């Protein structure tokens, strides 16, 4: 679909930022999202300069009845930051992060990535819980929950969100915080992009680093079951601040391996003492756990998750890394067709786990997030790589806690899985959706149906 020149001209009168249409030579690059399996062709990509531009784009989409997608860092695995034949609000030109050192807060525009955010905040020795891969967008991650290395000490990303500026479906601009539009603020913290377009996020910051204890140990895959068993026991006794994740992967030398990655953002001496059992267990083939800049920790997983690959992911939560979970994971990973794929167990712990499941819209406050991440680079190999993730997931299902992270829902997952993602908060979210977006303008997300539309 293409919009007429007259329609485009009308839009340009209200939207000062860049506008990219299918005839623009930048179009193919501009429409690309992180997951290369997503190949959508929007009618218009609007790159707002400010909140007024966002209001204009929202009104324009509503008036024309066009699908409207909102894109921060474009990392949505389901490709929710783009659409066919509609409008994409792309925050590529709104990436500023401002730190207020006296208030210990940072206000960030929605196009910022975690690497932008961390760079600005670490310049002042500050940080907040963010994604574990630097080029992930702050916007989508925050609106879905946000687990990361600092969650044990400071809570999830949503727990550190203090306020957001939002453009509603009417185009009206409001502020959401505990003091203003508190219901909307609650819904934003886990309810994804269902309620409006966020034009700025204000976060609480904490003293972090510059050095923390971080890094990982790697063991041969033949030891995976015993390493996972050790990991499960170790985590039961670990203090809040210590966040360690378990990964099954293929090492750069082509051998399958398993690793434990850690972060302890506290006293370095105490951290060294706490991670000693991880370093001493078994005979790791690689041990790079030790003091390192927080920024290096935040960059550690980047190479394992490069952009522009084909991706098919499945996710769940488990209460613990039980023998059954270990058996499924190890057997499934032994059959993985692509050396780029991995399985990651990331705990929800410490401060993050002590927030009540209904205190924010993000409900999954215990156990481990299980990511079954199928990555490959050849479209001819789609079938076996998708089948691998589906099969591993199907076999994991009898052992899961129930629940899925809204930010890791796949494109092919239906309303039943969306309901599971919001869990006990679904009904309150649906009531708020009915109030804030009764016509479901913001539907290109893990969609909560307003009551009127059901
Ligand atoms: C490599 C990789 C690593 C990851 N690591 C982590 C991790 O460590 N922790 C974690 O919690 N998650 C992680 N995730 C999942 C991540 O939270 C989601 O992919 C999230 O959607 C990324 O946000 P984004 O802004 O980049 O995505 P986008 O694709 O830009 O946006 C995703 C969706 O968010 C909504 N949205 C985006 N911007 C706005 C806005 N301004 N206003 C309203 N709605 C908006 C829209 O519904 C949009 O469709 C990771 C994902 C990847 C691909």
């Amino acid at each position: 679909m293409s919009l007429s020149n007259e329609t485009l001209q009308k839009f340009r009168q209200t939207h000062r930022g860049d506008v990219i249409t299918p005839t623009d030579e930048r179009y193919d690059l501009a429409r690309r999202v992180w997951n290369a399996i997503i190949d959508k062709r929007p009618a218009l990509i609007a790159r707002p300069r400010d909140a007024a531009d966002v209001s204009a784009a929202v009104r324009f989409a509503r008036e024309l009845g066009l699908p409207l997608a909102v894109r921060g860092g474009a990392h949505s695995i389901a490709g929710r930051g783009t659409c066919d034949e509609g409008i994409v609000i792309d925050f590529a030109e709104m990436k500023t992060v401002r730190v207020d050192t006296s208030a210990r807060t940072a206000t960030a525009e929605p196009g910022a990535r975690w690497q932008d955010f961390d760079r600005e905040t670490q310049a002042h020795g500050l940080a907040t819980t963010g994604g574990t891969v630097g080029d992930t967008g702050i916007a989508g991650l925050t609106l879905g929950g946000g687990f990361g290395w600092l969650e044990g000490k400071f809570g999830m990303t949503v727990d550190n969100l203090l306020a957001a500026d939002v453009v509603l479906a009417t185009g009206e601009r409001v502020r959401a915080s505990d003091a203003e539009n508190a219901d909307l603020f609650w819904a934003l913290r886990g309810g994804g992009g269902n309620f409006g377009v966020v034009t700025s996020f204000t976060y609480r910051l904490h003293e972090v680093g510059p050095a923390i204890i971080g890094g990982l140990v790697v063991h041969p895959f033949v030891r995976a079951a015993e390493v996972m068993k050790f990991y499960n026991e170790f985590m039961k006794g670990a203090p809040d601040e210590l966040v360690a994740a378990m990964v099954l992967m293929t090492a750069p030398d082509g051998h399958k391996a398993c690793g434990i990655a850690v972060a302890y953002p506290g006293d370095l001496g105490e951290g060294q003492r706490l991670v000693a059992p991880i370093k001493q267990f078994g005979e790791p083939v690689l041990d790079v756990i030790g003091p390192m800049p927080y920024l290096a920790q935040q960059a550690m997983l980047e190479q394992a998750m490069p952009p522009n690959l084909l991706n098919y992911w499945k996710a769940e939560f488990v209460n613990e890394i039980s023998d059954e979970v270990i058996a499924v994971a190890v057997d499934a990973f032994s059959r993985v067709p692509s050396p780029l794929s991995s399985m990651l167990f990331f705990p929800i712990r410490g401060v993050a786990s002590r927030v009540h499941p209904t205190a924010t819209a993000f409900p999954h406050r215990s156990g481990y997030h299980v990511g079954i991440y199928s990555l490959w680079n050849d479209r001819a190999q789609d079938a076996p790589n998708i089948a691998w993730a589906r099969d591993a997931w199907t076999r994991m299902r009898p052992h899961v806690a129930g629940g899925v992270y809204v930010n890791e829902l796949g494109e092919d997952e239906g309303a039943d899985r969306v309901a599971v993602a919001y869990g006990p908060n679904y009904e309150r979210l649906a009531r708020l959706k009915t109030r804030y977006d009764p016509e479901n303008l913001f539907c290109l997300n893990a969609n909560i149906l307003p009551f009127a539309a059901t």
Side-chain angles (χ1 to χ4, degrees):
M1 176 195 172
S2 66
L3 299 171
S4 71
N5 282 342
E6 195 191 343
T7 307
L8 282 172
Q9 207 177 345
K10 211 173 136 203
F11 179 58
R12 284 198 167 100
Q13 281 163 6
T14 60
H15 183 278
R16 291 187 312 156
D18 204 358
V19 172
I20 299 174
T21 58
T23 54
D24 192 309
E25 59 184 16
R26 298 168 301 164
Y27 179 74
D28 276 331
L29 195 58
R31 72 184 179 88
R32 191 189 282 177
V33 293
W34 187 84
N35 181 0
I37 214 164
I38 309 291
D39 181 20
K40 297 205 169 155
R41 304 187 66 85
L44 185 157
I45 300 169
R47 291 188 165 163
R49 280 198 216 159
D50 53 27
D53 276 356
V54 175
S55 285
V58 166
R59 289 199 170 102
F60 182 72
R62 207 188 56 227
E63 279 159 22
L64 267 68
L66 291 171
L68 175 64
V70 185
R71 164 179 174 161
H75 269 226
S76 161
I77 206 67
R80 301 200 202 275
T82 185
C83 60
D84 278 324
E85 304 197 340
I87 297 186
V88 174
I89 297 179
D90 173 4
F91 282 106
E93 305 290 337
M94 287 178 67
K95 292 182 162 183
T96 305
V97 179
R98 287 210 172 79
V99 177
D100 180 337
T101 48
S102 52
R104 292 241 173 130
T105 61
T107 297
E109 291 183 323
R113 315 282 177 127
W114 285 105
Q115 62 208 8
D116 307 319
F117 187 92
D118 291 338
R119 211 172 105 87
E120 288 295 332
T121 54
Q122 275 291 276
H124 305 281
L126 300 168
T128 204
T129 308
T132 53
V133 175
D135 68 349
T136 311
I138 62 155
L141 184 139
T142 300
L143 295 169
F147 58 78
W149 297 119
L150 302 182
E151 63 171 46
K153 192 166 182 181
F154 304 122
M156 299 191 60
T157 310
V158 277
D159 304 329
N160 290 287
L161 186 67
L162 296 174
D165 292 316
V166 189
V167 174
L168 300 177
T170 53
E172 184 195 353
R173 287 154 58 182
V174 299
R175 188 154 175 86
S177 68
D178 276 335
E180 291 172 83
N181 300 300
D183 265 0
L184 175 62
F185 186 53
W186 175 85
L188 289 176
R189 287 173 292 160
N194 272 280
F195 298 92
V197 186
V198 176
T199 56
S200 97
F201 295 87
T202 299
Y203 300 90
R204 183 185 299 117
L205 299 177
H206 312 270
E207 269 179 37
V208 173
I212 66 162
I213 297 297
L216 87 164
V217 289
V218 177
H219 293 261
F221 186 68
V222 285
R223 298 268 175 257
E226 53 200 272
V227 176
M228 290 181 83
K229 224 174 157 76
F230 160 78
Y231 168 75
N232 187 47
E233 287 307 314
F234 175 83
M235 291 306 280
K236 287 180 188 165
D240 279 3
E241 296 90 332
L242 200 155
V243 172
M246 176 83 229
V247 62
L248 302 180
M249 62 193 174
T250 303
D253 66 3
H255 289 97
K256 288 192 177 67
C258 67
I260 301 176
V262 298
Y264 179 80
D267 176 76
L268 295 182
E270 177 65 357
Q272 296 270 35
R273 190 185 69 74
L274 287 166
V275 297
I278 298 180
K279 293 166 76 75
Q280 285 156 11
F281 179 78
E283 291 172 30
V285 290
L286 180 77
D287 174 1
V288 290
I289 292 180
M292 61 165 66
Y294 173 66
L295 289 177
Q297 176 78 8
Q298 284 293 82
M300 184 172 72
L301 299 181
E302 221 141 87
Q303 281 173 359
M305 290 270 174
N308 305 324
L309 291 173
L310 301 154
N311 279 260
Y312 184 85
W313 292 13
K314 282 287 188 191
E316 285 288 342
F317 287 94
V318 295
N319 289 328
E320 66 169 325
I321 315 296
S322 63
D323 289 351
E324 292 80 8
V325 168
I326 293 172
V328 170
V330 172
D331 185 59
F333 200 73
S334 71
R335 299 160 201 264
V336 70
S338 166
L340 300 164
S341 300
S342 60
M343 285 174 88
L344 181 71
F345 296 83
F346 203 99
I348 306 293
R349 69 191 325 267
V351 173
S353 68
R354 280 196 292 279
V355 176
H356 194 274
T358 61
T360 66
F362 176 85
H364 309 291
R365 295 293 187 163
S366 60
Y368 294 80
H369 179 263
V370 184
I372 302 169
Y373 300 143
S374 196
L375 285 73
W376 67 105
N377 54 18
D378 175 3
R379 282 229 76 136
Q381 297 304 314
D382 284 6
N385 285 287
I386 292 172
W388 173 75
R390 283 193 181 139
D391 179 61
W393 175 70
T394 306
R395 293 172 57 206
M396 190 68 79
R397 295 269 287 162
H399 314 295
V400 302
V404 56
Y405 183 23
V406 70
N407 276 358
E408 295 199 4
L409 274 173
E411 201 187 12
D412 57 354
E413 303 199 79
D416 54 332
R417 289 280 283 170
V418 172
V420 168
Y422 298 116
N425 295 325
Y426 191 89
E427 200 181 319
R428 182 173 174 195
L429 285 165
R431 265 187 275 123
L432 290 168
K433 178 79 174 175
T434 310
R435 184 155 115 218
Y436 284 102
D437 185 18
E439 286 163 20
N440 205 7
L441 177 68
F442 304 114
C443 63
L444 299 180
N445 42 45
N447 197 219
I448 299 160
L449 289 180
F451 287 131
T454 53

